[in-house]
Amino acid sequence: MKNRSLLVVLLLFAMVCAVTNGCSDQSQQTDSDPDPAAGNEANPNHDSASDSDGKVKPDSEVTATEPLEAKALLVGGLGDWKPIGFGGEGEVYFEDGALNLDYGNPLTGVKYRGDMAELLGEDLDNYRITLQAQRVEGIDIFLGVTFPVGQAGHVSLVLGGWAGAITGISNLDGLNASENKTTQYHAFEDKKWYTVKIEVTIKKIQCWLDDKQLVDVNRADYTKYDTHGAVVDTIPFGMFSYGTWGKVKDVRVVKLD
């Protein structure tokens, strides 16, 4: 009788251990092996726009933006650019894909005679100008670019003025490129092409020479935008040199809005 009771106890103990081990094994399998059918529900941050470390890319990195269309303004000849009769001006001619502004006494320049509203919009605002310029010979302004600042006025970016080194904007509140906060000094080389970019928005005037930013003007900081008196004939959009032989090519304009 005692042996039968002991046998029953051993059988019950074996059954309890079997049940306990089975539950433990099932729990371990659930924790370590998620259901592959769960897919992205197991990691809601993982989708087709995620990078290798699982971080979701912002929309701007997923959707490419269409490039803006630039209008080329100096192709195969002067086109809508007309020489300005400053008095004492040098020769203006197109050769080997470039506009030449030869030595003047002191100024040589051209003015854009096309439709400015069609080019920049009625407000003459929110646009970018790009070009390449070269000083062939001389020690003064090899390129000045006059452009509108919306309906507020016009200014000129000058390169290599005042003995060949000064860059800046003329004029801001009546102060020229050698007198205001945009004044910078740059050692220009003869017969080297430089890339110029000008951007005008409702808030700023910004200019770059190659990869260096030359100008970053908050329009709200100034009340008067005008050109130097000697180059008013380049308004609203023109280019000039001062006692120096300069070249310009690949002039392009694009609206930013």
Side-chain angles (χ1 to χ4, degrees):
M1 187 68 178
K2 289 181 180 180
N3 290 338
R4 182 179 297 178
S5 298
L6 179 59
L7 180 60
V8 170
V9 171
L10 291 174
L11 288 173
L12 289 174
F13 179 77
M15 291 175 63
V16 170
C17 289
V19 171
T20 302
N21 290 338
C23 292
S24 176
D25 292 341
Q26 183 177 2
S27 175
Q28 291 177 4
Q29 181 180 2
T30 301
D31 291 343
S32 60
D33 300 320
D35 183 0
N40 289 343
E41 292 181 2
N43 183 4
N45 286 334
H46 181 76
D47 55 26
S48 60
S50 300
D51 54 22
S52 59
D53 59 4
K55 295 181 180 179
V56 178
K57 296 180 181 179
D59 292 342
S60 60
E61 294 182 20
V62 177
T63 304
T65 57
E66 292 296 324
L68 297 170
E69 182 178 356
K71 182 174 182 179
L73 301 182
L74 198 61
V75 180
L78 293 179
D80 287 323
W81 300 96
K82 306 301 179 184
I84 299 172
F86 287 113
E89 67 274 3
E91 188 178 0
V92 174
Y93 59 97
F94 191 87
E95 183 178 73
D96 297 329
L99 169 67
N100 285 257
L101 301 173
D102 212 338
Y103 284 102
N105 187 22
L107 288 160
T108 302
V110 293
K111 179 176 179 176
Y112 182 72
R113 302 287 184 175
D115 189 331
M116 290 296 295
E118 179 182 346
L119 183 66
L120 301 180
E122 294 291 340
D123 293 332
L124 305 181
D125 226 332
N126 289 316
Y127 62 87
R128 178 188 301 134
I129 301 169
T130 57
L131 56 86
Q132 293 188 62
Q134 177 186 125
R135 184 177 68 193
V136 183
E137 294 177 357
I139 59 168
D140 217 301
I141 300 171
F142 66 95
L143 178 67
V145 184
T146 299
F147 54 91
V149 184
Q151 300 296 327
H154 302 79
V155 295
S156 302
L157 171 67
V158 298
L159 303 176
W162 291 267
I166 285 183
T167 67
I169 294 290
S170 291
N171 294 330
L172 297 173
D173 285 346
L175 300 177
N176 67 43
S178 69
E179 302 170 325
N180 60 49
K181 291 182 179 179
T182 67
T183 304
Q184 289 196 28
Y185 298 88
H186 190 92
F188 292 102
E189 299 178 28
D190 289 348
K191 299 180 181 179
K192 175 181 177 180
W193 287 107
Y194 294 92
T195 299
V196 178
K197 181 170 70 173
I198 299 168
E199 285 191 3
V200 177
T201 66
I202 59 174
K203 292 184 178 180
K204 290 198 173 213
I205 302 171
Q206 296 177 291
C207 306
W208 290 262
L209 182 69
D210 292 334
D211 294 328
K212 179 182 179 182
Q213 186 166 23
L214 299 177
V215 174
D216 188 6
V217 169
N218 291 314
R219 288 173 57 173
D221 293 342
Y222 299 91
T223 58
K224 185 179 179 182
Y225 299 95
D226 59 0
T227 60
H228 190 283
V231 296
V232 292
D233 289 339
T234 60
I235 292 174
F237 184 23
M239 300 183 291
F240 59 91
S241 65
Y242 187 96
T244 299
W245 177 9
K247 285 186 178 183
V248 188
K249 68 178 182 179
D250 199 22
V251 180
R252 297 176 183 273
V253 176
V254 61
K255 297 178 185 178
L256 297 180
D257 59 349

